Each structure stands twice: as C-alpha cells, then as structure tokens.
Amino acid sequence: ILASVLGLSFLVRVLLFPLQGYQNDMATFQYWFNTAARQGIRPFYTVLFNTLGWVDYPPFNVYIFWVFGSLAKALEGYGVNPANIVKLAPNLFDLATAGLIYFFIRKRFSFKLSITASVLYAFNPATIFIGAVWGQYDAIYTFFLVLSLLLALSSKPKLSAAAFAIGLLTKPQGIALAPLIAYVIFRKNGFKNTLYSLLVFVATIFVVILPFEWTNPVTFLSRIYFGAYSGYAVTSANAFNLWGLFNLWAPDGNFFILGWVMFGALAAFVIYVLHKRFKVSGDWLVLFGAFMLFFAFFMLPTRIHERYLFPAVSMLALMVPFVKKARAFYAIITATLLVNCAYVLYWLNLGNPNLTGDPVVLAVSIVNLVTFLYGSLLM
C-alpha cells in the first residue's frame, strides 16, 4: 500500500513536469547539471567561478548534479527533456521523506495512522508545486533534516549528526534546526555521546567536501555560504512573512540584526519549553518545536525566500494523525506556502516585479503572522 501511495504521488508529479517553472532557475540548474556531468565533481566550483563568477549551492548538491546530469547526458538521444531530469531529483527525495514519515510512525502506532501521515506529505499540494512545477530543490535538504531529527529521537546520535551535516551541505537553511537537534541528542544520550556526535558532524563535512577542496575548507565553504547570503541583503526576497507586510526587496540594513535577534529569542524559548516539559510531552513536543523553528526562520529573519517554509510541512504531517491542533496548522501552512510560491512564480516569469503592497502579499503575510503568534502561544 505504501508503494502504491508513493507510486501514485510520483505519477502525479511526473504529469506536472511539463508545466513551466521559473525560467532562470531551470536554465541555471541545467547548466550546473551539464557542468557536473561533463567536467566531473572535482573541478565543478573552479569552472563555475571562472565562467560565471558565482555559484551559491553547497557541495553535497554537486554529487546530485553529477548523478542526474549524467543521467540526462545518457538520455540525450532519446528525446528526454533535460528539464524533466532536473525536476526528477527533488521529487524522488520528497517521496523518500514521505517514506521516512511512514516508517517512523509505524514503529510506534498503527498502519492506518502511519499511512495517513505519509499520504498527507506525499500529496501535499505546496510541496508538489515547489518540486514538480517550479523545480526547486528544497525537498533534498528537507529529507536530511527530517532524517536527522528522527534519528535523534530514535537515540542514534552519530547517524543524526551525519545526516544533519549533509543537510547543511545541501542548503544552509538547515541551521534553523541546529539548536533542537543538539538538545535532543544531549538529552537522550548525554554529554559524551554529544561530543562524539559533534566529531562525526565535523568529519562528515570534511568527507563530503574533500573532492572539492582539501587545502582551505573554511574559506571554501564561507565563500559559497556567505557569498550567496550577502547577495540578498533585502528585507524579504518574495517571502510573505513579517517583512512582507512592509517592504519586499528593500535594503535590510540594521533589520538584519533585529531579525536574527528575534529568531534567536524564539529558538531559546522553544528549547526552554522543551527542557521543562520533555519528560511529559516527549517526541511530539520536539516535533512541534521543530515546526516552530522552521516557521520562525521563515517569519523573522530578513533575506528569506518564498520557499523557506517548505520543511515545516514535514513536521506537521508527522503530527496531524495525533495532534488535533496540528491539523489547522497543516491546512493553513499548506495554503499560504502554495499561494506564496505560485503567486511569486507567476510574476517572476512575467518579469520579476517588486510586489510590495500587493493585496495578496499583505493578506497572506497577515495570515502567516497570526498563525505564527498562535503557534508561539501553544509552545
């Protein structure tokens, strides 16, 4: 039954592949795929920095570009659209996340509850749109973050640390979950295992980046992460969040510091509540805390893109069969994420206008803000 669910979800996604994603993104991904397939993994960043002057995706993506780029290259003579191969990768990882959700819940509860949670994720319209229509890669780092959290909850700290490292080496947005992963590992396994997990985390990073850079890994990574981040020094990069109520694409200035202070305060509050109620509420409070961290990362810092609420859906899918209040969050977050991404994609393909003051932006931003405040009160 699980195989049938995932197969049907995959079919739905494949049928959506021909729909137009963001033209610039698709062209960039195809160029990266082709570069990785033809040049190999080792010279990937050197080639792109020399030809384009920039590349903002961390190293683990290059392995994915190489695998799927090689597939696209092998299918060149068979009339396969390279854009469909680009979209294939995130959708496979999205289905893998649906499988993780099923197996995690199945170890604890009935088949009915497990398959329900998996279906809610596999057929979520917002995640399907982002992966199958837009062709974005948020599903990949989400998979590793979910895997890391579920391994931490299952008292497998070293594997959790390795998965979290790969998540960060896929997209830096995974940093939102860092305090929660660290706390759960420490609470369930003690200081000694936490220290070993930290060593595994560092070792995993070095193993992944070794083919690219072995002389100065810190400079190598900082160039990729901070170079990309500094390129979006704006209040909101089309995210309908707190800053979307006021101004999109405006220089963020000191608001940058304010945004991170607010996120830090919320993260500290989540860890404090979790520490006080861990023995009583256990795993489900951890999942809700993870959801709130993802939500806060989308709502509070500046420089946030429209898709950064994506990982929150996985946490809600895990909770919906058991926590009644999570069902309203699931419906609202799915709706606002879908509207945010679909509306932005429509205007991007028409010429990338600044949507500041647009009534849809204001309405969705207000709904997100009210929902976020309500979630904070429930912690």
Side-chain angles (χ1 to χ4, degrees), residues 135-199:
Q136 273 290 350
Y137 274 48
D138 301 80
I140 299 177
Y141 84 92
T142 295
F143 167 80
F144 287 106
L145 294 184
V146 173
L147 177 61
S148 176
L149 182 59
L150 299 188
L151 286 169
L153 289 173
S154 301
S155 296
K156 297 178 180 178
K158 300 177 187 67
L159 291 176
S160 173
F164 186 68
I166 295 174
L168 282 182
L169 290 171
T170 307
K171 281 272 193 172
Q173 293 89 291
I175 198 67
L177 206 59
L180 184 64
I181 295 289
Y183 177 80
V184 173
I185 288 177
F186 174 76
R187 186 65 184 262
K188 283 182 170 284
N189 303 279
F191 178 78
K192 185 177 180 180
N193 276 309
T194 302
L195 181 59
Y196 288 148
S197 300
L198 178 60
L199 295 175

Side-chain angles (χ1 to χ4, degrees), residues 30-41 43-44 47 65-67 69-70 72-76 82:
Q30 288 181 55
Y31 184 78
W32 289 348
F33 272 46
N34 186 60
T35 300
R38 298 185 184 280
Q39 301 289 338
I41 291 173
F44 179 84
V47 170
F65 297 158
W66 177 74
V67 170
S70 299
K73 183 181 176 183
L75 297 175
E76 276 180 336

Side-chain angles (χ1 to χ4, degrees), residues 214-227:
W214 54 72
T215 58
N216 197 340
V218 174
T219 302
F220 169 71
L221 289 175
S222 63
R223 183 182 184 187
I224 296 171
Y225 286 115
F226 294 108

Side-chain angles (χ1 to χ4, degrees), residues 295-327:
F295 203 177
F297 187 82
F298 176 80
M299 291 297 298
L300 301 178
T302 59
R303 310 185 186 189
I304 299 300
H305 290 257
E306 66 287 323
R307 309 176 315 277
Y308 288 6
L309 196 53
F310 187 104
V313 176
S314 60
M315 296 299 107
L316 292 172
L318 279 162
M319 290 188 291
V320 161
F322 318 99
V323 184
K324 289 185 178 180
K325 289 182 179 179
R327 298 168 190 175

Side-chain angles (χ1 to χ4, degrees), residues 6 14 86 370:
L6 298 182
V14 170
V86 170
V370 171

Side-chain angles (χ1 to χ4, degrees), residues 12-181:
V12 170
R13 293 159 186 267
V14 170
L15 292 175
L16 293 173
F17 281 4
L19 296 181
Q20 177 64 58
Y22 181 32
Q23 300 168 17
N24 291 359
D25 285 347
M26 296 306 297
T28 299
F29 281 132
Q30 288 181 55
Y31 184 78
W32 289 348
F33 272 46
N34 186 60
T35 300
R38 298 185 184 280
Q39 301 289 338
I41 291 173
R42 169 68 179 162
F44 179 84
Y45 285 102
T46 302
V47 170
L48 288 183
F49 279 127
N50 289 338
T51 56
L52 300 179
W54 69 278
V55 57
D56 60 354
Y57 268 52
F60 188 76
N61 294 284
V62 182
Y63 295 97
I64 297 169
F65 297 158
W66 177 74
V67 170
F68 287 90
S70 299
L71 176 61
K73 183 181 176 183
L75 297 175
E76 276 180 336
Y78 297 91
V80 177
N81 187 346
N84 291 343
I85 304 299
V86 170
K87 292 183 176 182
L88 180 62
N91 285 279
L92 290 177
F93 275 90
D94 223 14
L95 296 178
T97 301
L100 281 180
I101 290 170
Y102 170 83
F103 287 112
F104 178 78
I105 297 177
R106 188 67 186 93
K107 288 183 178 180
R108 292 159 173 78
F109 297 99
S110 68
F111 168 79
K112 182 178 179 181
L113 291 176
S114 307
I115 202 69
T116 298
S118 184
V119 166
L120 286 170
Y121 189 81
F123 290 95
N124 183 276
T127 60
I128 289 176
F129 179 86
I130 292 169
V133 179
W134 192 317
Q136 273 290 350
Y137 274 48
D138 301 80
I140 299 177
Y141 84 92
T142 295
F143 167 80
F144 287 106
L145 294 184
V146 173
L147 177 61
S148 176
L149 182 59
L150 299 188
L151 286 169
L153 289 173
S154 301
S155 296
K156 297 178 180 178
K158 300 177 187 67
L159 291 176
S160 173
F164 186 68
I166 295 174
L168 282 182
L169 290 171
T170 307
K171 281 272 193 172
Q173 293 89 291
I175 198 67
L177 206 59
L180 184 64
I181 295 289

Side-chain angles (χ1 to χ4, degrees), residues 183 187 270-280 285:
Y183 177 80
R187 186 65 184 262
V270 168
I271 299 302
Y272 171 78
V273 172
L274 187 60
H275 180 70
K276 289 293 185 181
R277 296 172 50 193
F278 192 84
K279 291 183 178 179
V280 177
L285 184 60

